[in-house]
Amino acid sequence: MLIALHGSWHQPAHFADLTSRLTHTGIDVLAPDLDKDSLPDRVAAAQEAVDSCPKPPLVLAHSFGGLVAESLTGVRHIIHLASYVLDPGETATDVVVRAIEQTGAPDPLLAAIRPGPDGYTHIDPESAREAFYADCKPEDANSATQLLRPERDDIGQWTPTRVNRDVTPSTYVLCEQDRAVRPEIQELFAARCGEALAWPTSHSPYLSQPDLVLDLIRRIDSARTSQT
């Protein structure tokens, strides 16, 4: 069983193609909706999915979904796809500001975010492909852009109260052409995981290079299964 955790502005439907591919290989997928107003509520939604599994599942966490994944219990392995792996007390804003100060380069994702009403933001559709789907086929990028939805404007200040790294194995996939989570930030996060890989993809390899993601999931699933 695999639990797929989407990132900010995204939703479970973004995993539809990957879910179909995995199902055809015999791996069932649950993709809980993390459209909640706080990190504890998002963790609770994901934990409910984990707890519904007969055995500890794999978790695939994309982008901000990594912040949720790191607070889960009862998981046998986390695969981080360009995701946030924060320490307690550390925020996404903290690491982005440090990267800007160290490199002197602006953050590409910040330029794509537009403020909206009632404490929410959205992604400018014209900037979405550049930020999230730069190496996707145009039709896939367009479909994914249409699925984007508003996100709370305070998520940059969210921080985990605990992390599961000491008890849960993890693999980090650094996306070298990412324009949403800068590669130098991902290097920091990758160093906090048990295994690190680098792929020449943009932010969403589950859309642009699904076979890479599928092969990684199958490798980890097979390795863990053979040990039990």
Side-chain angles (χ1 to χ4, degrees):
M1 178 67 75
L2 178 89
I3 308 296
L5 304 179
H6 62 81
S8 298
W9 299 284
H10 288 68
Q11 58 176 298
H14 281 92
F15 288 124
D17 178 66
L18 182 66
T19 296
S20 176
R21 292 168 184 264
L22 285 167
T23 300
H24 278 93
T25 69
I27 298 177
D28 292 328
V29 181
L30 289 176
D33 194 342
L34 303 181
D35 184 24
K36 312 295 181 184
D37 288 340
S38 71
L39 180 57
D41 287 343
R42 296 187 185 194
V43 172
Q47 189 67 56
E48 182 178 0
V50 170
D51 293 344
S52 73
C53 299
K55 295 181 180 180
L58 301 179
V59 170
L60 177 72
H62 179 239
S63 197
F64 208 72
L67 190 57
V68 174
E70 283 246 297
S71 295
L72 298 175
T73 60
V75 171
R76 64 185 175 104
H77 199 110
I78 299 173
I79 301 171
H80 288 283
L81 286 184
S83 66
Y84 284 86
V85 181
L86 299 177
D87 287 332
E90 183 181 47
T91 70
T93 297
D94 292 335
V95 294
V96 170
V97 168
R98 285 201 301 268
I100 292 173
E101 291 175 346
Q102 291 169 3
T103 65
D107 189 82
L109 179 58
L110 293 180
I113 297 174
R114 300 289 183 267
D118 303 324
Y120 286 82
T121 62
H122 65 273
I123 299 296
D124 172 35
E126 297 300 322
S127 304
R129 182 173 184 183
E130 176 73 11
F132 296 139
Y133 316 120
D135 62 340
C136 292
K137 296 177 182 177
E139 59 270 26
D140 292 337
N142 290 337
S143 296
T145 298
Q146 292 174 11
L147 288 172
L148 293 173
R149 58 187 179 182
E151 175 60 281
R152 289 198 56 90
D153 63 5
D154 61 349
I155 60 168
Q157 301 303 317
W158 293 3
T159 185
T161 57
R162 60 180 175 82
V163 295
N164 58 21
R165 269 163 241 166
D166 291 340
V167 296
T168 305
S170 59
T171 298
Y172 196 97
V173 177
L174 190 158
C175 297
E176 297 173 319
Q177 299 174 18
D178 201 332
R179 298 182 180 98
V181 182
R182 301 155 68 116
E184 61 266 30
I185 293 176
Q186 292 185 49
E187 289 176 1
L188 168 68
F189 297 152
R192 297 173 176 175
C193 296
E195 176 188 25
L197 308 173
W199 291 351
T201 70
S202 65
H203 187 61
S204 304
Y206 65 93
L207 289 172
S208 64
Q209 297 290 336
D211 287 340
L212 277 179
V213 180
L214 179 62
D215 288 346
L216 176 59
I217 292 170
R218 294 176 65 184
R219 172 176 71 81
I220 292 173
D221 184 55
S222 298
R224 297 293 297 175
T225 300
S226 66
Q227 295 173 12
T228 57

